[in-house]
Structures are given as C-alpha cells and as structure tokens.
C-alpha cells in the first residue's frame, strides 16, 4: 500500500479496487505530446456518448474515459515535435480517435493544440476549445457570417451561446438570442442586441428576415427556426439530423450517407420550402484557429464564462449538471 493511501486511511481492499480503475500514463508517438491536465471541460457530447446517443456518428468502445477539450502543461514532447517544449502551457481539442481528457495525463497530437491564452487560468482556458472551434468553424466555414448580417443564437446563456454571442459581435453581426429572464443580464453584457424570453415568447413569431440561425437544440426549435430566415438564409445546427451533405464531408461511407439522406428528408424539404441552406456542424481540431482565439482573449475582445468548477472526482455530478441544462456558461473539471 502506498504512503499516500495509508495517509488517506484507504484499506488494502479498497486500494485493490482503486488500482483496477487506474490507467497507466499514456505513451506518446513521435508527433505527440504528453500533457499534464490541469482542467478539462464538460460538454453535452460527453453524456451523449455515455448514453449511446451518437453511435451512428462516433461509436466508441466501452469502457471509455470521456472528455474532449483541456488545458494543461506539456510533460513530454515526441521526437518530431518542434513547436512545444516541456513546461509550455497549452490548450486543445484532440481528434475524435483520442477522446479522454478527464484524466491526469493525456497524449495528444501536437498539431491539435496551441499555447493557451496567457491571461486565462487553466479552468478558463479549458472552457474554450470545443465551443470556440465549433462556433468559429460554424460562422466562418459553413455559415459565412458577414458584418452587418443578422443572426439568432439559441440558448445565449449556455456554454455555446456565451461564446457565440461574443464572436458574432466581433464579426460585426446583429445578434438576437433566446434566454430566460435570469440569463438576460448575462447575454446583454456579452453583447446581445435583442433578447427573447423563451419562457414567454416563441422566437419564430417575433423574428423575421434574419440571415442566419445558429441552432443548438434540433427538433421543433430547429424546424420553427427556418421561418425566421430570409430567402438565401443559412442554418447551422449542433443537434439537428445530419444530412447526406454531412455524410459526404465526414466520409461516413455510402450506406450511412444514404441513411442520413432518408432520415433528414423533412429538413431537406424545409430547405427547399424556405429557400435556405442547412448544415450540421461536427467540430474538428485546428491549432491555427486556437491560436486566433487565444489572441482574441489576450486582447480582451473575448471573455471566458465559467458557470461551475467541479473536482475531477465529481465528474459524474458535473455530467448530471450539464444534462440538467441549468448552466450559465461552461462547466469545468479541475484536475488536482
């Protein structure tokens, strides 16, 4: 029994149980770095993977360590890595095959990380990569959001919304958002031009002629969202049904792509009816974009919004809180 476990009063029986759940420190490939994780962000995708909701798109073998984005220090660098050295403070979003940031150490491709913003602590920095890259790619690559255009960002006080409002304003857009009365002050402080209280007002009944919709819910909220757009408008969704276009870009293969074509037929018909474009976003790692975001934080043009920090040992409680939908901003795990 280790000295630490003795000091903690852990019996030999419980030590054996703990050891069965302990994983070795990951080995790294020549193009990877080993990161000592100080904080990891909790996202809806974590509990969706846990619950098997995303099996068609990303089917992981279980048991699985969850967690996508993180912030920490480089503990070791592979022989081919030249951009980072031991001790560098980094943040990142690993590629889908390397999930597992809810851990003390994590091996990641050097191409998927960047130096963290100097003015953010580790918990704040860990809150950025997934929501930041998702929204950056949605606005710049799929939506083509331009200065002077109007956009509805759903759930403005949530983890995605609190970032998306800020980025849309930086890009020169007019921003409407949905929030409860409790979240109004927060989203207005972040720059929202118009706030619709979703508990009292249906946004599709009061908004018209918008250029873009950033959907986070899917379902009825997405269906009704088409109504607020002008002809030629653009929809990007995080939770809508993927279509054949998504299947092709993600290289899911013929049969999965055809299955998505059939499943998304109602959305395709709405695209044609309202003469708009619909895309689902599935984020990818991008170190260059992370560096751009770091610069925006260091300039003070973006600010992190963290609702609650849980210790790593309370990851399940953090997932439950995320699933409750009550968070105002991001949820983060602190790794001691």
């Amino acid at each position: 029994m280790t000295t630490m476990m003795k000091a903690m009063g852990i019996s030999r029986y419980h030590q054996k149980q703990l050891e069965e759940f302990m994983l070795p420190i990951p080995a790294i490939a020549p193009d990877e770095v080993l990161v000592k994780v100080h904080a990891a962000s909790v996202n809806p995708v974590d509990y969706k993977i846990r619950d098997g909701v995303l099996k068609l798109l990303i089917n992981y073998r279980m048991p699985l360590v969850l967690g996508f984005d993180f912030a920490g220090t480089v503990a070791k660098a592979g022989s081919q890595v030249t951009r980072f050295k031991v001790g560098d403070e980094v943040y990142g979003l690993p590629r889908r095959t390397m999930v597992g940031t809810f851990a003390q150490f994590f091996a990641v491709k050097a191409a998927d990380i960047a130096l963290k913003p100097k003015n953010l602590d580790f918990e704040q920095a860990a809150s950025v990569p997934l929501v930041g890259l998702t929204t950056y790619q949605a606005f710049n690559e799929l939506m083509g959001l331009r200065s002077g255009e109007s956009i509805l960002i759903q759930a403005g006080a949530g983890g995605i919304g609190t970032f998306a409002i800020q980025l849309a304003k930086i890009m020169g857009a007019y921003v409407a958002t949905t929030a409860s009365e409790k979240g109004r002050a927060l989203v207005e402080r972040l720059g929202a031009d118009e706030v619709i209280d979703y508990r009292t007002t249906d946004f599709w009944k009061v908004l018209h002629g918008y250029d873009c919709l950033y959907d986070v819910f899917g379902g009825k909220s997405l269906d009704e969202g088409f109504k607020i757009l002008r002809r030629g408008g653009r929809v990007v969704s995080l939770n809508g049904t993927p279509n054949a276009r998504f299947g092709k870009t993600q290289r899911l293969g013929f049969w999965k792509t055809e299955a998505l074509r059939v499943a998304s037929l109602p959305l395709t018909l709405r695209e044609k009816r309202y003469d708009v474009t619909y895309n689902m976003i599935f984020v990818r790692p991008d170190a260059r974009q992370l560096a751009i975001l770091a610069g925006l934080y260091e300039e003070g043009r973006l600010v992190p919004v963290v609702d609650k920090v849980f210790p790593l040992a309370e990851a399940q409680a953090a997932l439950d809180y995320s699933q409750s939908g009550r968070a105002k901003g991001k949820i983060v795990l602190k790794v001691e």
Side-chain angles (χ1 to χ4, degrees):
M1 189 184 304
T2 66
T3 302
M4 180 179 293
M5 288 185 176
K6 285 181 180 178
M8 294 171 65
I10 296 176
S11 69
R12 290 183 183 277
Y13 170 75
H14 288 105
Q15 179 200 3
K16 186 174 186 299
Q17 285 188 314
L18 283 170
E19 287 174 347
E20 288 175 356
F21 287 97
M22 293 176 67
L23 298 173
I25 293 177
I28 58 172
D31 62 342
E32 295 176 355
V33 299
L34 179 67
V35 175
K36 179 176 175 55
V37 179
H38 296 299
S41 176
V42 177
N43 299 283
V45 68
D46 295 307
Y47 64 75
K48 290 179 181 179
I49 289 173
R50 178 199 65 188
D51 297 342
V53 174
L54 301 176
K55 278 186 178 180
L56 179 64
L57 303 179
I58 41 176
N59 191 14
Y60 293 109
R61 293 181 62 183
M62 300 294 175
L64 177 73
V65 178
L66 295 171
F68 280 85
D69 44 0
F70 66 92
T73 54
V74 174
K76 186 178 181 181
S79 59
Q80 296 175 5
V81 177
T82 58
R83 293 174 50 236
F84 302 101
K85 63 183 184 302
V86 173
D88 280 346
E89 297 182 347
V90 296
Y91 75 148
L93 174 77
R95 52 202 63 185
R96 271 171 258 162
T97 55
M98 302 182 76
V99 62
T101 62
F102 294 179
Q104 294 173 311
F105 290 91
F106 183 69
V108 61
K109 297 293 183 183
D112 297 347
I113 64 175
L115 295 175
K116 81 170 182 64
K118 295 183 179 67
N119 59 327
L120 302 191
D121 61 30
F122 286 109
E123 289 81 17
Q124 292 170 328
S127 75
V128 173
L130 190 142
V131 298
L133 289 177
T134 298
T135 303
Y136 188 94
Q137 290 165 20
F139 287 3
N140 288 279
E141 298 173 8
L142 293 180
M143 191 179 288
L145 182 63
R146 296 183 290 271
S147 179
E149 289 193 314
S150 54
I151 181 172
L152 170 64
I153 296 169
Q154 294 178 344
I160 281 280
T162 49
F163 179 90
I165 290 171
Q166 297 181 76
L167 185 61
K169 293 306 297 180
I170 288 172
M171 296 176 70
Y174 177 90
V175 176
T177 192
T178 55
S180 68
E181 193 57 35
K182 289 182 179 179
R184 176 180 289 272
L186 171 60
V187 298
E188 288 180 340
R189 187 170 72 249
L190 295 174
D193 299 292
E194 186 171 355
V195 184
I196 295 96
D197 185 341
Y198 66 87
R199 296 187 179 185
T200 61
T201 306
D202 294 327
F203 69 83
W204 59 89
K205 294 180 179 178
V206 296
L207 299 180
H208 307 284
Y210 269 63
D211 298 293
C212 300
L213 168 64
Y214 193 32
D215 168 71
V216 302
F217 296 121
K220 180 181 178 180
S221 183
L222 171 59
D223 291 343
E224 300 291 359
F226 282 81
K227 297 177 180 178
I228 75 166
L229 298 172
R230 63 168 176 79
R231 291 190 176 277
R234 290 94 72 197
V235 179
V236 175
S237 176
L238 279 71
N239 282 306
T241 304
N243 55 17
R245 189 182 304 120
F246 176 89
K248 290 176 182 178
T249 58
Q250 296 295 318
R251 300 179 180 179
L252 296 180
F254 177 79
W255 292 113
K256 282 188 177 182
T257 299
E258 286 305 300
L260 294 179
R261 187 190 308 277
V262 174
S264 65
L265 182 58
L267 286 172
T268 301
L269 293 176
R270 294 185 83 78
E271 270 190 297
K272 294 178 179 178
R273 176 182 175 184
Y274 292 100
D275 190 20
V276 301
T277 302
Y278 164 77
N279 283 290
M280 179 179 167
I281 179 75
F282 211 74
V283 66
R284 70 175 190 281
D286 193 307
R288 182 188 65 83
Q289 293 175 358
L290 282 174
I292 291 172
L293 296 181
L296 292 173
Y297 278 102
E298 290 171 355
E299 293 168 5
R301 300 178 71 191
L302 286 172
V303 295
V305 182
V306 176
D307 177 280
K308 200 168 185 179
V309 178
F310 291 80
L312 179 61
E314 296 179 17
Q316 184 58 58
L319 288 166
D320 291 341
Y321 185 54
S322 175
Q323 197 164 9
S324 76
R326 298 194 305 269
K328 299 291 185 285
K330 289 302 302 292
I331 304 164
V332 175
L333 294 177
K334 183 173 183 178
V335 183
E336 299 292 350

